[in-house]
Amino acid sequence: MLKQALLAMTLTLLVTTAGFCAEPAKPAAPAPPAVAQGTQGTQGTQTTQTTQGTSAATAAKAAAPAAPAAPARVKPNRVITSTMFLAIIGITLCVVVWAAKRTTSAADFYAAGGGITGLQNGWAIAGDYMSAASFLGMSGLISLYGIDGFMYAVGPMFSFIAILLVVAEPCRNAGKYTLGDILSFRASPKPVRAVAALSTVTVSLFYLIAQMVGAGKLMQVLLDIPYRFSVIGVGVLMVGYVVFGGMKATTWVQIIKAGLLMSGTVLLAFLVMAKAGFNPFSFFESVVNSQFVQDHVRMNVLKDPLPKPGFDYGQRFMEPGLFLKNPLDQVSLGIAWALGAAGLPHILMRFFTVPNAQEARKSIVIALFINSTFFFLINLIGFGAALYLTPQLISSADKGGNMATLLLAQKLGGGAGSFGGDLFLAFICAVAFATILAVVSGLVLAASAAIAHDVYVNIIKDGKADQQTQVRVARLTSLFVGIAAIVMGLAAEKENVVALVALAFAVAASGNFPAVMLSLFWRRFNTAGVVSALVVGTVSALALVMISPVMTYPQKIADDAKKIIVTLEKRQAEGAVLADKDQKALDKARADFKKNDGGTSMVGLKAPIFPLKNPGIVSAPLGLLAAIVGTLMFRSRRSEEMFDEIEVRQITGLGIAKASDH
């Protein structure tokens, strides 16, 4: 039955993709004349482009941003991209078939039988952590907001320090399959597992939304199909992998993906620096002196209708505060990055796949090295996209900047329509698809494990469900988690995926991290403390997000548009004739004002109440404080007496089941 289902899935994908390949190409619309600046992301005339490119080249010897003539969308070669797409599907389906034959117990489904080596697990953790948000979202954020995007990229490198030094070894020795196993060891199992499952699903869904948005955008480019069908198709495919293959399939898909992703990232970063003559100083000087970057900062970010005398907009691109305007936002983001990874359920689950604590430590060291290299190179790719593509072109292709990496790959490969450009774009698309495949599988598995193992098996059935039933329920919950991810992905189409991931980190840092840390290292910590940490930390983080600037506020858009309208209409009243770019900005501002004036956010607010984009600086201390207060108010002798046992287990690994053979 399993083989027939997988065969049917494969044939369906083959026929569907062949249909896309065979479909006659639509005649391309003529590319609109470009304007160097303007809120719509258009570019100027060829004469303006040449003048601006020469100016940047004179300022620095590195290659200047000759204005791109490409249309504001990614146009892959359908035959090449479909071939690579099918190759990825074929390889991963083979992995699923192989894993399905070896997934017979709950231990196999949740933790691959504990038989993954440290080296394999390190690559798998890296594959789990380097998400579509990193590959697509972070480079886009850097290309549009400069140094603020850089801060998003370097943060994840340091988060693994907390995992390595604090929780990796103890979690491996104290847990079994899920976050709930760790937290319920010396607390009342049912309430703790219920709240832990809720927190796990919340964090996983936040992270899943980011991946589904990236998946939808990517498949929209890859097969030229509507976003909603892209999200649904990718979601169905990912859930199928988890349902059939479990953790074994997920692990090997993540390893394959990590290898492909590092290869693509290294090659793309190499081409960026090669174009700059391998001179980082002239490379960044060219970014600063790019007229396109300067115009983007002035018009689209700072919303200055007219240039301020003596203000260096290019230098402003290399300074913090364009995206995270409040300095406390930068601190808050740092807290979320530093502590959040140690509370991510799909990362914690990976510790249970290795046979002992030594292999857990080894896997973290390997993952740290791989991730650090990757996130460093993402910075070069992001700034390269700003220089060689221009922010205007990137934002016109996708307002969140999520297509920057793909556009850059096509340009550096030889440009749209060239064999090299199409081949490199197809390869990067395939890599990004493998990235989404791996990360979504891990997230769906973590969420389904929390529901099936913690809620169904240990709460509803009091731990008395047989192995076959456990696996069946886990597969069923994977289906429902996948459906939820698809629905939420459809609703978040316009969001930048990296911002969504940062929110998931904030939720994990506020609830999961203090609960895990205190469970392992504070003798007096008890059930009340666990529940308080998870509830207060998670709810406060979510509540602050809903009233923060990260939400969309139509009235704010209208007010910004009105500022542009007043300034430019005043110039017209004084008798000045607006330049083409300013006239376009005025027309767009009028349309934005008419569309958004009087509108409210999804919770009915006209303006944010909480000033920070990331709630970590408030919600993380609240979660920790709630854990301490709850523990002190409701003392538990049993929890204190069992601390010695968990301390011995986390140091020695006593009582851990042996790994299964592979």
Side-chain angles (χ1 to χ4, degrees):
M1 186 68 181
L2 177 62
K3 291 181 178 178
Q4 282 117 350
L6 289 171
L7 181 59
M9 186 188 300
T10 307
L11 290 175
T12 301
L13 289 166
L14 286 168
V15 171
T16 303
T17 308
F20 282 120
C21 295
E23 181 183 327
K26 298 178 182 178
V35 175
Q37 58 193 24
T39 55
Q40 290 177 309
T42 55
Q43 295 125 11
T45 63
Q46 187 63 40
T47 303
T48 302
Q49 296 168 356
T50 305
T51 302
Q52 292 166 336
T54 304
S55 174
T58 303
K61 293 182 180 180
R73 58 169 297 189
V74 184
K75 290 187 176 180
N77 183 297
R78 192 171 288 185
V79 174
I80 298 176
T81 51
S82 298
T83 301
M84 289 197 176
F85 172 77
L86 288 176
I88 292 292
I89 295 294
I91 292 171
T92 51
L93 281 177
C94 289
V95 171
V96 172
V97 171
W98 168 81
K101 296 177 180 178
R102 292 162 175 79
T103 301
T104 57
S105 66
D108 290 331
F109 189 87
Y110 294 132
I116 303 298
T117 68
L119 177 62
Q120 294 167 348
N121 199 45
W123 277 94
I125 290 175
D128 212 353
Y129 200 61
M130 297 184 300
S131 63
S134 307
F135 193 51
L136 302 178
M138 284 185 182
S139 59
L141 203 61
I142 293 168
S143 69
L144 297 179
Y145 295 99
I147 288 296
D148 276 4
F150 165 81
M151 294 182 63
Y152 269 87
V154 299
M157 294 191 298
F158 297 100
S159 61
F160 266 77
I161 302 297
I163 298 179
L164 177 64
L165 297 179
V166 179
V167 302
E169 181 177 348
C171 282
R172 171 63 190 92
N173 289 340
K176 187 177 182 182
Y177 300 143
T178 65
L179 175 67
D181 287 331
I182 301 171
L183 300 180
S184 64
F185 187 86
R186 59 191 186 99
S188 298
K190 290 191 175 183
V192 167
R193 286 187 183 276
V195 179
L198 181 61
S199 176
T200 296
V201 172
T202 301
V203 174
S204 298
L205 284 177
F206 258 100
Y207 217 122
L208 271 169
I209 294 171
Q211 308 312 313
M212 296 307 295
V213 171
K217 294 291 184 181
L218 180 66
M219 298 306 295
Q220 188 177 23
V221 169
L222 192 66
L223 297 178
D224 195 22
I225 55 179
Y227 173 84
R228 60 184 180 276
F229 294 127
S230 302
V231 170
I232 294 172
V234 172
V236 169
L237 186 61
M238 302 308 121
V239 171
Y241 288 169
V242 176
V243 168
F244 290 116
M247 180 58 85
K248 289 183 181 180
T250 299
T251 296
W252 283 102
V253 169
Q254 288 167 345
I255 292 172
I256 294 169
K257 164 257 178 148
L260 290 173
L261 185 59
M262 285 303 298
S263 300
T265 303
V266 169
L267 179 56
L268 191 53
F270 175 84
L271 292 176
V272 167
M273 294 312 297
K275 193 172 179 65
F278 296 102
N279 187 334
F281 298 102
S282 62
F283 170 71
F284 285 106
E285 190 176 356
S286 292
V287 174
V288 170
N289 288 303
S290 167
Q291 187 64 47
F292 297 101
V293 170
Q294 294 174 11
D295 290 341
H296 168 72
V297 173
R298 177 175 72 86
M299 293 293 295
N300 300 339
V301 182
L302 297 182
K303 307 293 184 182
D304 291 340
L306 301 175
K308 296 179 181 178
F311 190 87
D312 191 339
Y313 290 96
Q315 179 61 34
R316 187 68 184 86
F317 190 70
M318 304 302 292
E319 297 173 353
L322 288 182
F323 185 72
L324 301 174
K325 295 180 173 60
N326 191 328
L328 288 178
D329 238 330
Q330 300 170 23
V331 178
S332 186
L333 177 64
I335 292 173
W337 280 140
L339 305 180
L344 292 176
H346 66 293
I347 298 295
L348 293 175
M349 275 190 75
R350 294 233 54 92
F351 300 144
F352 306 134
T353 65
V354 292
N356 53 56
Q358 181 180 1
E359 293 297 302
R361 292 194 304 271
K362 180 179 178 181
S363 63
I364 289 296
V365 173
I366 293 170
L368 178 61
F369 175 78
I370 297 171
N371 284 329
S372 298
T373 303
F374 170 76
F375 287 113
F376 170 76
L377 296 177
I378 281 294
N379 288 288
L380 297 179
I381 294 172
F383 283 112
L387 178 60
Y388 302 128
L389 294 174
T390 76
Q392 289 84 355
L393 179 62
I394 294 168
S395 59
S396 66
D398 181 83
K399 290 184 178 180
N402 298 316
M403 294 294 103
T405 300
L406 304 181
L407 286 165
L408 184 63
Q410 188 176 47
K411 181 176 180 63
L412 296 183
S418 68
F419 177 76
D422 290 342
L423 182 63
F424 196 22
L425 173 62
F427 174 68
I428 295 299
C429 283
V431 168
F433 178 75
T435 297
I436 293 165
L437 172 74
V439 176
V440 171
S441 297
L443 290 166
V444 170
L445 188 59
S448 65
I451 298 172
H453 178 68
D454 290 327
V455 177
Y456 179 79
V457 175
N458 286 286
I459 295 179
I460 298 177
K461 292 295 186 179
D462 288 321
K464 297 177 182 178
D466 58 62
Q467 295 289 319
Q468 187 177 5
T469 301
Q470 291 185 47
V471 173
R472 184 168 61 250
V473 172
R475 286 172 169 162
L476 184 62
T477 54
S478 297
L479 174 62
F480 286 107
V481 171
I483 293 173
I486 291 171
V487 173
M488 299 177 77
L490 293 173
E493 178 181 358
K494 300 298 182 182
E495 300 296 332
N496 183 286
V497 292
V498 71
L500 296 173
V501 169
L503 298 181
F505 271 73
V507 174
S510 304
N512 294 356
F513 177 73
V516 170
M517 181 182 66
L518 296 178
S519 291
L520 296 172
F521 301 112
W522 188 20
R523 177 182 294 273
R524 194 166 175 177
F525 198 55
N526 54 31
T527 302
V530 174
V531 174
S532 300
L534 293 177
V535 172
V536 174
T538 302
V539 171
S540 63
L542 292 176
L544 291 174
V545 166
M546 298 301 292
I547 59 174
S548 74
V550 79
M551 304 297 291
T552 299
Y553 295 90
Q555 189 59 53
K556 175 66 167 54
I557 298 174
D559 292 341
D560 289 340
K562 186 175 182 180
K563 177 183 175 183
I564 296 174
I565 294 171
V566 170
T567 301
L568 295 180
E569 286 184 345
K570 182 179 179 181
R571 288 192 64 194
Q572 286 181 320
E574 294 172 349
V577 178
L578 297 181
D580 183 60
K581 61 186 180 183
D582 292 331
Q583 185 61 54
K584 289 181 180 294
L586 179 59
D587 293 340
K588 183 177 186 300
R590 287 170 175 166
D592 287 343
F593 180 81
K594 182 178 180 180
K595 179 180 179 181
N596 295 285
D597 188 36
T600 61
S601 71
M602 63 183 298
V603 293
L605 297 177
K606 290 191 174 182
I609 298 175
F610 183 66
L612 305 182
K613 291 185 177 181
N614 193 290
I617 195 172
V618 175
S619 58
L622 281 177
L624 180 60
L625 181 62
I628 296 173
V629 171
T631 300
L632 296 178
M633 288 182 63
F634 302 94
R635 189 169 183 178
S636 171
R637 296 287 184 184
R638 175 182 174 275
S639 296
E640 295 179 27
E641 291 169 357
M642 290 191 66
F643 178 76
D644 291 332
E645 182 177 347
I646 195 173
E647 188 174 38
V648 171
R649 286 190 58 155
Q650 63 179 279
I651 294 173
T652 65
L654 186 66
I656 297 176
K658 295 182 179 180
S660 62
D661 294 330
H662 286 262

